[in-house]
Amino acid sequence: MAPMTDDKYDEEDLAGSEEDVHMLEQSHHGHKYRQLGFTANSRASLFSKIMAIVNLALGVILAITLGFVAHTTTVSCAERGGPVHEPYSPALEAVFPVIRKFKPELVYQSETSPEVEDAWKVTLGPGNGLVALDADISAKLAKTNHESTESVWEPGKHVYGISMFHQLHCLNTIRKSFYREKFYPHVEEKKFLHHKNHCFDFLRQAIMCHGDVSMTYWWNVNYTVSNVDGNGGEGHSEWFNSLSVDERATNGSTYWDIEHSCRLFEPIAEWVARYKLLPNGISFPEDENQG
């Protein structure tokens, strides 16, 4: 908001001041104002000074408010780990941001089969996403993360796992828990439940951490007709136009073919393959009893 000037008040807001003061002087109270020096000119001058002080005070308040908002925004960005700070990871060199639309992949929406299991194995990454890193990288990670155990296969190197592949492992564990007799027939109940429930919590925190704010929407493919103008344009169908607002909502469903801010999967998987823990990864305890 631009500060108001004294000239603006003199010309606009104080129009008619002399007449007002003249009427006051004609009243039985007029002598009191004359004794205090309240003439037309002095009143205008006093009013201008008061407004100048008010403008100054408002300016100070505005500056303090904007400073507080800017500080709060900066703190919020730092707290949510946005562009202000990216925790160190040697795998950052394999990160390539990309805008991508989600689309159905039926193999991941199907019941277990050899084809389905092969597809899921690909998503779990080389060696289950486990890597062996040199001691100097481990020391650097220990400053912001934590030290990790030394590899029994490669002395001097330390074992780490890419979090994305741990998350995918957990998702796969939950999926396979629906076929417990096939995948975990000999795992004791307590161990089975502990692993499954750990995975629920880990995935919950991962999803909330990433906070994808892309907007899903509600629609029905039959609400849209193509080429309505002869030039490939789209419009609303007769059925859509015949429905009430409530009916449109009832007949719609969630669509998620929208743009998301992503990271390319393949370069991260390739990076893991270069530093893969030998020999050929390890199996998680619950997976040893797969059928």
Side-chain angles (χ1 to χ4, degrees):
M1 180 179 64
M4 295 178 286
T5 63
D6 290 343
D7 291 340
K8 183 178 181 181
Y9 278 100
D10 290 343
E11 296 172 1
E12 299 176 4
D13 295 305
L14 298 182
S17 293
E18 291 189 32
E19 180 181 353
D20 293 339
V21 174
H22 177 71
M23 292 178 63
L24 180 63
E25 289 178 340
Q26 298 301 317
S27 70
H28 63 283
H29 297 296
H31 66 285
K32 295 181 180 179
Y33 285 87
R34 285 194 296 273
Q35 290 173 2
L36 294 173
F38 276 75
T39 63
N41 290 334
S42 63
R43 185 185 181 197
S45 176
L46 177 61
F47 190 82
S48 297
K49 292 177 181 177
I50 292 173
M51 291 309 301
I53 294 172
V54 170
N55 283 335
L56 178 61
L58 289 174
V60 171
I61 293 172
L62 179 61
I64 293 174
T65 301
L66 291 176
F68 175 78
V69 170
H71 172 72
T72 302
T73 302
T74 301
V75 171
S76 297
C77 286
E79 286 176 346
R80 65 176 180 258
V84 177
H85 173 65
E86 180 81 51
Y88 169 71
S89 168
L92 284 173
E93 66 184 13
V95 169
F96 294 91
V98 63
I99 300 299
R100 172 170 288 169
K101 284 188 176 183
F102 291 177
K103 60 181 181 180
E105 295 187 53
L106 296 182
V107 68
Y108 296 106
Q109 298 183 22
S110 303
E111 298 299 312
T112 179
S113 70
E115 180 187 9
V116 168
E117 300 311 315
D118 287 344
W120 275 97
K121 285 178 182 177
V122 173
T123 68
L124 300 180
N128 289 321
L130 298 178
V131 295
L133 303 177
D134 291 335
D136 59 334
I137 297 179
S138 180
K140 197 171 182 180
L141 282 167
K143 294 179 180 179
T144 55
N145 190 353
H146 200 283
E147 63 179 332
S148 191
T149 57
E150 193 171 344
S151 171
V152 297
W153 299 288
E154 296 178 275
K157 294 192 175 184
H158 297 256
V159 180
Y160 289 90
I162 296 292
S163 191
M164 175 184 71
F165 290 117
H166 187 178
Q167 293 161 23
L168 286 166
H169 158 76
C170 268
L171 181 60
N172 194 40
T173 296
I174 294 172
R175 178 189 69 88
K176 292 193 298 184
S177 72
F178 287 94
Y179 314 100
R180 183 175 177 181
E181 289 302 315
K182 176 178 180 179
F183 293 107
Y184 308 115
H186 306 301
V187 178
E188 62 183 54
E189 183 73 7
K190 183 178 180 180
K191 192 175 185 180
F192 171 80
L193 292 177
H194 171 77
H195 191 195
K196 183 180 69 172
N197 292 333
H198 146 76
C199 281
F200 273 122
D201 190 26
F202 185 58
L203 287 176
R204 176 190 65 83
Q205 294 190 48
I207 294 169
M208 293 173 69
C209 173
H210 287 88
D212 187 350
V213 294
S214 304
M215 296 292 178
T216 55
Y217 63 98
W218 272 255
W219 200 245
N220 185 309
V221 292
N222 296 314
Y223 288 172
T224 306
V225 291
S226 301
N227 202 30
V228 292
D229 55 2
N231 295 313
E234 292 187 340
H236 292 154
S237 65
E238 292 184 7
W239 182 47
F240 174 87
N241 292 327
S242 70
L243 298 176
S244 67
V245 173
D246 289 344
E247 289 172 331
R248 291 171 184 172
T250 302
N251 288 284
S253 59
T254 308
Y255 281 73
W256 37 278
D257 56 332
I258 55 174
E259 292 185 339
H260 297 260
S261 177
C262 303
R263 292 176 169 182
L264 285 174
F265 175 87
E266 292 79 10
I268 299 174
E270 291 169 3
W271 186 91
V272 170
R274 291 204 305 272
Y275 298 96
K276 184 174 66 172
L277 181 66
L278 299 176
N280 198 30
I282 60 175
S283 295
F284 292 91
E286 288 78 358
D287 293 339
E288 292 178 345
N289 296 290
Q290 291 187 35

